[in-house]
Amino acid sequence: MSLTTLSPTLPAQRHCSLSKLLTLRESLAAQTQPPNTYALGLAADGLPVIANITRSPAMLATSDHAASLQALLGTIAATAIFPGRQTSIGAVIVSRTPERWHGINPMAAAVSPKRMGDILQYHMRKPSAPRLPILLDNLGAGWDIEYRSLSLLANAPEFHLVVSASPRYACRIRSIFSKILIGEIRDFPTLFDLTAPTTLTTPLTNGQFAFRHQSRWLTFTPATQ
């Protein structure tokens, strides 16, 4: 299991966005965050949920609320640690509005979708390059990426892919991902399609996410800028 939390307590509670960010950073510092990891957010007891860049599978995040998805990607980008990188770029955020992400992390580059192909090819030509996190912001309309290309990217050992998308679009690409982060989704048939066979029954508030770990769901709240 590559997604870990120092506490399994459920569910996570909603916090003020600024205090969540400060609390998350303080918690990560207190626990000595491992290298090549990032935080997804805080569990109910205030301890961080951590993902490992080198081992975590590709992840799909979906919610009815675009702001919650932005908060999740922002938390990932802001908390990522890339020690010993031989390049100035540790992660790439691909967005139709890249200016939104500028300055979130000195080692995170924000680019438009039309530049993604060049960046992927450049990274794959580098010998022994560390795994590069690729964060796709609001994948869907306006993107020129085929299902097969997305599947290849999700399974490429050179990259760690995190995709945010609306529930409707997430249903179209759900089979590519073994790890799904579920936010608030009001339409039950859509929620069932995305969470089966172990349906999420714990109500989530706006801003919360949950992921399935073995036979149960772990809930957390991202921080925001």
Side-chain angles (χ1 to χ4, degrees):
M1 181 66 179
S2 296
L3 293 180
T4 58
T5 176
L6 299 179
S7 170
T9 306
L10 298 176
Q13 297 178 354
R14 187 175 175 83
H15 302 277
C16 169
S17 61
L18 179 59
S19 66
K20 286 205 300 278
L21 180 60
L22 295 174
T23 302
L24 179 59
R25 288 174 173 168
E26 292 169 355
S27 182
L28 290 170
Q31 299 295 331
T32 311
Q33 182 182 349
N36 293 311
T37 64
Y38 57 79
L40 293 170
L42 294 171
D45 53 9
L47 293 176
V49 179
I50 301 295
N52 188 297
I53 294 169
T54 61
R55 297 193 304 271
S56 292
M59 292 190 286
L60 171 63
T62 184
S63 171
D64 285 336
H65 304 283
S68 297
L69 294 172
Q70 291 172 18
L72 177 60
L73 287 192
T75 301
I76 292 172
T79 60
I81 293 181
F82 312 103
R85 294 254 171 168
Q86 300 303 312
T87 175
S88 59
I89 298 178
V92 177
I93 305 171
V94 187
S95 174
R96 287 172 293 173
T97 55
E99 63 278 0
R100 175 189 299 149
W101 303 102
H102 290 163
I104 195 168
N105 186 324
M107 295 190 70
V111 302
S112 64
K114 64 183 180 181
R115 291 191 56 200
M116 181 172 68
D118 292 337
I119 291 175
L120 298 181
Q121 292 179 20
Y122 175 77
H123 184 76
M124 292 179 70
R125 289 196 297 265
K126 296 167 61 178
S128 303
R131 201 177 190 206
L132 181 66
I134 303 291
L135 313 181
L136 304 189
D137 173 29
N138 192 22
L139 186 63
W143 287 74
D144 184 19
I145 183 169
E146 298 178 350
Y147 180 93
R148 174 174 168 77
S149 298
L150 184 64
S151 180
L152 290 173
L153 178 58
N155 291 282
E158 299 90 347
F159 304 105
H160 170 49
L161 182 66
V162 181
V163 173
S164 70
S166 69
R168 183 174 181 180
Y169 192 82
C171 287
R172 297 172 54 185
I173 60 175
R174 188 253 181 273
S175 60
I176 294 176
F177 299 87
S178 61
K179 185 62 62 180
I180 301 183
L181 310 178
I182 299 292
E184 184 180 8
I185 299 175
R186 291 182 293 272
D187 183 65
F188 183 79
T190 301
L191 178 63
F192 181 83
D193 288 344
L194 289 168
T195 59
T198 308
T199 305
L200 176 63
T201 57
T202 302
L204 298 176
T205 62
N206 183 7
Q208 288 185 323
F209 286 86
F211 66 90
R212 188 167 54 233
H213 176 39
Q214 298 176 355
S215 61
R216 64 175 179 165
W217 289 87
L218 299 181
T219 308
F220 65 93
T221 308
T224 58
Q225 291 295 320

PDB file of all heavy atoms in Angstrom, residues 59-83:
ATOM      1  N   MET A  59      -3.311   7.851 -10.083  1.00  0.00           N
ATOM      2  CA  MET A  59      -4.503   8.135  -9.292  1.00  0.00           C
ATOM      3  C   MET A  59      -5.451   9.046 -10.050  1.00  0.00           C
ATOM      4  O   MET A  59      -5.022   9.985 -10.725  1.00  0.00           O
ATOM      5  CB  MET A  59      -4.112   8.773  -7.959  1.00  0.00           C
ATOM      6  CG  MET A  59      -3.381   7.817  -7.021  1.00  0.00           C
ATOM      7  SD  MET A  59      -3.172   8.484  -5.355  1.00  0.00           S
ATOM      8  CE  MET A  59      -1.886   9.699  -5.663  1.00  0.00           C
ATOM      9  N   LEU A  60      -6.735   8.769  -9.894  1.00  0.00           N
ATOM     10  CA  LEU A  60      -7.804   9.575 -10.471  1.00  0.00           C
ATOM     11  C   LEU A  60      -8.597  10.203  -9.339  1.00  0.00           C
ATOM     12  O   LEU A  60      -9.076   9.500  -8.446  1.00  0.00           O
ATOM     13  CB  LEU A  60      -8.712   8.698 -11.335  1.00  0.00           C
ATOM     14  CG  LEU A  60     -10.005   9.324 -11.862  1.00  0.00           C
ATOM     15  CD1 LEU A  60      -9.696  10.496 -12.782  1.00  0.00           C
ATOM     16  CD2 LEU A  60     -10.851   8.270 -12.575  1.00  0.00           C
ATOM     17  N   ALA A  61      -8.732  11.521  -9.354  1.00  0.00           N
ATOM     18  CA  ALA A  61      -9.508  12.242  -8.345  1.00  0.00           C
ATOM     19  C   ALA A  61     -10.725  12.866  -9.010  1.00  0.00           C
ATOM     20  O   ALA A  61     -10.614  13.483 -10.083  1.00  0.00           O
ATOM     21  CB  ALA A  61      -8.668  13.331  -7.683  1.00  0.00           C
ATOM     22  N   THR A  62     -11.887  12.722  -8.377  1.00  0.00           N
ATOM     23  CA  THR A  62     -13.099  13.250  -8.979  1.00  0.00           C
ATOM     24  C   THR A  62     -14.057  13.761  -7.916  1.00  0.00           C
ATOM     25  O   THR A  62     -14.103  13.250  -6.786  1.00  0.00           O
ATOM     26  CB  THR A  62     -13.786  12.174  -9.851  1.00  0.00           C
ATOM     27  OG1 THR A  62     -14.913  12.745 -10.510  1.00  0.00           O
ATOM     28  CG2 THR A  62     -14.232  10.983  -9.017  1.00  0.00           C
ATOM     29  N   SER A  63     -14.818  14.787  -8.276  1.00  0.00           N
ATOM     30  CA  SER A  63     -15.763  15.407  -7.351  1.00  0.00           C
ATOM     31  C   SER A  63     -16.705  16.295  -8.154  1.00  0.00           C
ATOM     32  O   SER A  63     -16.376  16.732  -9.268  1.00  0.00           O
ATOM     33  CB  SER A  63     -15.020  16.245  -6.304  1.00  0.00           C
ATOM     34  OG  SER A  63     -15.917  17.011  -5.518  1.00  0.00           O
ATOM     35  N   ASP A  64     -17.868  16.566  -7.593  1.00  0.00           N
ATOM     36  CA  ASP A  64     -18.768  17.543  -8.204  1.00  0.00           C
ATOM     37  C   ASP A  64     -18.211  18.955  -8.131  1.00  0.00           C
ATOM     38  O   ASP A  64     -18.630  19.833  -8.880  1.00  0.00           O
ATOM     39  CB  ASP A  64     -20.126  17.534  -7.494  1.00  0.00           C
ATOM     40  CG  ASP A  64     -20.973  16.316  -7.854  1.00  0.00           C
ATOM     41  OD1 ASP A  64     -20.761  15.745  -8.936  1.00  0.00           O
ATOM     42  OD2 ASP A  64     -21.843  15.949  -7.038  1.00  0.00           O
ATOM     43  N   HIS A  65     -17.282  19.189  -7.207  1.00  0.00           N
ATOM     44  CA  HIS A  65     -16.812  20.534  -6.913  1.00  0.00           C
ATOM     45  C   HIS A  65     -15.412  20.758  -7.478  1.00  0.00           C
ATOM     46  O   HIS A  65     -14.430  20.168  -7.008  1.00  0.00           O
ATOM     47  CB  HIS A  65     -16.802  20.780  -5.404  1.00  0.00           C
ATOM     48  CG  HIS A  65     -18.139  20.550  -4.762  1.00  0.00           C
ATOM     49  ND1 HIS A  65     -19.168  21.453  -4.849  1.00  0.00           N
ATOM     50  CD2 HIS A  65     -18.617  19.493  -4.059  1.00  0.00           C
ATOM     51  CE1 HIS A  65     -20.226  20.981  -4.208  1.00  0.00           C
ATOM     52  NE2 HIS A  65     -19.924  19.797  -3.729  1.00  0.00           N
ATOM     53  N   ALA A  66     -15.320  21.633  -8.477  1.00  0.00           N
ATOM     54  CA  ALA A  66     -14.030  21.931  -9.094  1.00  0.00           C
ATOM     55  C   ALA A  66     -13.045  22.515  -8.087  1.00  0.00           C
ATOM     56  O   ALA A  66     -11.851  22.228  -8.134  1.00  0.00           O
ATOM     57  CB  ALA A  66     -14.223  22.894 -10.261  1.00  0.00           C
ATOM     58  N   ALA A  67     -13.550  23.322  -7.149  1.00  0.00           N
ATOM     59  CA  ALA A  67     -12.667  23.934  -6.158  1.00  0.00           C
ATOM     60  C   ALA A  67     -12.015  22.879  -5.267  1.00  0.00           C
ATOM     61  O   ALA A  67     -10.862  23.027  -4.856  1.00  0.00           O
ATOM     62  CB  ALA A  67     -13.445  24.934  -5.306  1.00  0.00           C
ATOM     63  N   SER A  68     -12.741  21.804  -4.956  1.00  0.00           N
ATOM     64  CA  SER A  68     -12.170  20.736  -4.135  1.00  0.00           C
ATOM     65  C   SER A  68     -11.051  20.018  -4.886  1.00  0.00           C
ATOM     66  O   SER A  68     -10.029  19.660  -4.302  1.00  0.00           O
ATOM     67  CB  SER A  68     -13.262  19.736  -3.740  1.00  0.00           C
ATOM     68  OG  SER A  68     -14.254  20.353  -2.947  1.00  0.00           O
ATOM     69  N   LEU A  69     -11.247  19.796  -6.178  1.00  0.00           N
ATOM     70  CA  LEU A  69     -10.203  19.157  -6.987  1.00  0.00           C
ATOM     71  C   LEU A  69      -8.974  20.048  -7.092  1.00  0.00           C
ATOM     72  O   LEU A  69      -7.839  19.562  -7.039  1.00  0.00           O
ATOM     73  CB  LEU A  69     -10.751  18.831  -8.375  1.00  0.00           C
ATOM     74  CG  LEU A  69     -11.849  17.776  -8.426  1.00  0.00           C
ATOM     75  CD1 LEU A  69     -12.441  17.675  -9.823  1.00  0.00           C
ATOM     76  CD2 LEU A  69     -11.311  16.411  -7.989  1.00  0.00           C
ATOM     77  N   GLN A  70      -9.177  21.339  -7.231  1.00  0.00           N
ATOM     78  CA  GLN A  70      -8.047  22.263  -7.262  1.00  0.00           C
ATOM     79  C   GLN A  70      -7.298  22.258  -5.939  1.00  0.00           C
ATOM     80  O   GLN A  70      -6.064  22.303  -5.900  1.00  0.00           O
ATOM     81  CB  GLN A  70      -8.533  23.672  -7.588  1.00  0.00           C
ATOM     82  CG  GLN A  70      -9.042  23.839  -9.008  1.00  0.00           C
ATOM     83  CD  GLN A  70      -9.685  25.186  -9.249  1.00  0.00           C
ATOM     84  OE1 GLN A  70      -9.471  26.131  -8.485  1.00  0.00           O
ATOM     85  NE2 GLN A  70     -10.479  25.289 -10.305  1.00  0.00           N
ATOM     86  N   ALA A  71      -8.048  22.183  -4.837  1.00  0.00           N
ATOM     87  CA  ALA A  71      -7.410  22.131  -3.523  1.00  0.00           C
ATOM     88  C   ALA A  71      -6.570  20.869  -3.371  1.00  0.00           C
ATOM     89  O   ALA A  71      -5.476  20.898  -2.798  1.00  0.00           O
ATOM     90  CB  ALA A  71      -8.473  22.196  -2.428  1.00  0.00           C
ATOM     91  N   LEU A  72      -7.059  19.753  -3.893  1.00  0.00           N
ATOM     92  CA  LEU A  72      -6.319  18.497  -3.805  1.00  0.00           C
ATOM     93  C   LEU A  72      -5.032  18.567  -4.609  1.00  0.00           C
ATOM     94  O   LEU A  72      -3.953  18.225  -4.097  1.00  0.00           O
ATOM     95  CB  LEU A  72      -7.197  17.347  -4.292  1.00  0.00           C
ATOM     96  CG  LEU A  72      -6.535  15.966  -4.332  1.00  0.00           C
ATOM     97  CD1 LEU A  72      -6.063  15.553  -2.944  1.00  0.00           C
ATOM     98  CD2 LEU A  72      -7.497  14.938  -4.909  1.00  0.00           C
ATOM     99  N   LEU A  73      -5.114  19.004  -5.869  1.00  0.00           N
ATOM    100  CA  LEU A  73      -3.895  19.119  -6.672  1.00  0.00           C
ATOM    101  C   LEU A  73      -2.936  20.142  -6.061  1.00  0.00           C
ATOM    102  O   LEU A  73      -1.721  19.956  -6.084  1.00  0.00           O
ATOM    103  CB  LEU A  73      -4.237  19.514  -8.105  1.00  0.00           C
ATOM    104  CG  LEU A  73      -4.884  18.466  -9.000  1.00  0.00           C
ATOM    105  CD1 LEU A  73      -4.886  18.938 -10.450  1.00  0.00           C
ATOM    106  CD2 LEU A  73      -4.190  17.117  -8.902  1.00  0.00           C
ATOM    107  N   GLY A  74      -3.490  21.213  -5.512  1.00  0.00           N
ATOM    108  CA  GLY A  74      -2.649  22.215  -4.874  1.00  0.00           C
ATOM    109  C   GLY A  74      -1.916  21.663  -3.664  1.00  0.00           C
ATOM    110  O   GLY A  74      -0.745  21.983  -3.436  1.00  0.00           O
ATOM    111  N   THR A  75      -2.592  20.837  -2.889  1.00  0.00           N
ATOM    112  CA  THR A  75      -1.955  20.217  -1.724  1.00  0.00           C
ATOM    113  C   THR A  75      -0.819  19.300  -2.157  1.00  0.00           C
ATOM    114  O   THR A  75       0.277  19.308  -1.572  1.00  0.00           O
ATOM    115  CB  THR A  75      -2.985  19.422  -0.913  1.00  0.00           C
ATOM    116  OG1 THR A  75      -4.027  20.307  -0.482  1.00  0.00           O
ATOM    117  CG2 THR A  75      -2.351  18.767   0.298  1.00  0.00           C
ATOM    118  N   ILE A  76      -1.069  18.505  -3.187  1.00  0.00           N
ATOM    119  CA  ILE A  76      -0.029  17.606  -3.710  1.00  0.00           C
ATOM    120  C   ILE A  76       1.184  18.405  -4.158  1.00  0.00           C
ATOM    121  O   ILE A  76       2.325  18.103  -3.782  1.00  0.00           O
ATOM    122  CB  ILE A  76      -0.586  16.767  -4.869  1.00  0.00           C
ATOM    123  CG1 ILE A  76      -1.631  15.778  -4.356  1.00  0.00           C
ATOM    124  CG2 ILE A  76       0.536  16.030  -5.595  1.00  0.00           C
ATOM    125  CD1 ILE A  76      -2.374  15.040  -5.454  1.00  0.00           C
ATOM    126  N   ALA A  77       0.949  19.420  -4.984  1.00  0.00           N
ATOM    127  CA  ALA A  77       2.064  20.195  -5.532  1.00  0.00           C
ATOM    128  C   ALA A  77       2.818  20.965  -4.452  1.00  0.00           C
ATOM    129  O   ALA A  77       4.050  21.058  -4.483  1.00  0.00           O
ATOM    130  CB  ALA A  77       1.547  21.162  -6.597  1.00  0.00           C
ATOM    131  N   ALA A  78       2.084  21.513  -3.476  1.00  0.00           N
ATOM    132  CA  ALA A  78       2.717  22.346  -2.455  1.00  0.00           C
ATOM    133  C   ALA A  78       3.548  21.545  -1.461  1.00  0.00           C
ATOM    134  O   ALA A  78       4.524  22.054  -0.908  1.00  0.00           O
ATOM    135  CB  ALA A  78       1.646  23.153  -1.715  1.00  0.00           C
ATOM    136  N   THR A  79       3.187  20.284  -1.236  1.00  0.00           N
ATOM    137  CA  THR A  79       3.857  19.502  -0.188  1.00  0.00           C
ATOM    138  C   THR A  79       4.888  18.507  -0.727  1.00  0.00           C
ATOM    139  O   THR A  79       5.559  17.855   0.056  1.00  0.00           O
ATOM    140  CB  THR A  79       2.829  18.721   0.650  1.00  0.00           C
ATOM    141  OG1 THR A  79       2.096  17.823  -0.209  1.00  0.00           O
ATOM    142  CG2 THR A  79       1.850  19.676   1.334  1.00  0.00           C
ATOM    143  N   ALA A  80       5.009  18.392  -2.039  1.00  0.00           N
ATOM    144  CA  ALA A  80       5.934  17.405  -2.604  1.00  0.00           C
ATOM    145  C   ALA A  80       7.374  17.745  -2.267  1.00  0.00           C
ATOM    146  O   ALA A  80       7.794  18.906  -2.329  1.00  0.00           O
ATOM    147  CB  ALA A  80       5.751  17.336  -4.112  1.00  0.00           C
ATOM    148  N   ILE A  81       8.129  16.707  -1.911  1.00  0.00           N
ATOM    149  CA  ILE A  81       9.544  16.853  -1.564  1.00  0.00           C
ATOM    150  C   ILE A  81      10.373  16.055  -2.562  1.00  0.00           C
ATOM    151  O   ILE A  81      10.140  14.864  -2.768  1.00  0.00           O
ATOM    152  CB  ILE A  81       9.823  16.365  -0.134  1.00  0.00           C
ATOM    153  CG1 ILE A  81       9.133  17.286   0.876  1.00  0.00           C
ATOM    154  CG2 ILE A  81      11.314  16.300   0.138  1.00  0.00           C
ATOM    155  CD1 ILE A  81       9.372  16.883   2.318  1.00  0.00           C
ATOM    156  N   PHE A  82      11.359  16.728  -3.181  1.00  0.00           N
ATOM    157  CA  PHE A  82      12.194  16.093  -4.203  1.00  0.00           C
ATOM    158  C   PHE A  82      13.672  16.269  -3.861  1.00  0.00           C
ATOM    159  O   PHE A  82      14.368  17.073  -4.476  1.00  0.00           O
ATOM    160  CB  PHE A  82      11.925  16.710  -5.578  1.00  0.00           C
ATOM    161  CG  PHE A  82      10.477  16.840  -5.933  1.00  0.00           C
ATOM    162  CD1 PHE A  82       9.829  18.065  -5.854  1.00  0.00           C
ATOM    163  CD2 PHE A  82       9.769  15.748  -6.367  1.00  0.00           C
ATOM    164  CE1 PHE A  82       8.501  18.188  -6.192  1.00  0.00           C
ATOM    165  CE2 PHE A  82       8.430  15.856  -6.703  1.00  0.00           C
ATOM    166  CZ  PHE A  82       7.794  17.074  -6.619  1.00  0.00           C
ATOM    167  N   PRO A  83      14.179  15.538  -2.900  1.00  0.00           N
ATOM    168  CA  PRO A  83      15.585  15.713  -2.527  1.00  0.00           C
ATOM    169  C   PRO A  83      16.514  15.120  -3.578  1.00  0.00           C
ATOM    170  O   PRO A  83      16.243  14.086  -4.183  1.00  0.00           O
ATOM    171  CB  PRO A  83      15.693  14.943  -1.208  1.00  0.00           C
ATOM    172  CG  PRO A  83      14.673  13.863  -1.330  1.00  0.00           C
ATOM    173  CD  PRO A  83      13.529  14.486  -2.102  1.00  0.00           C
TER     174      PRO A  83
END
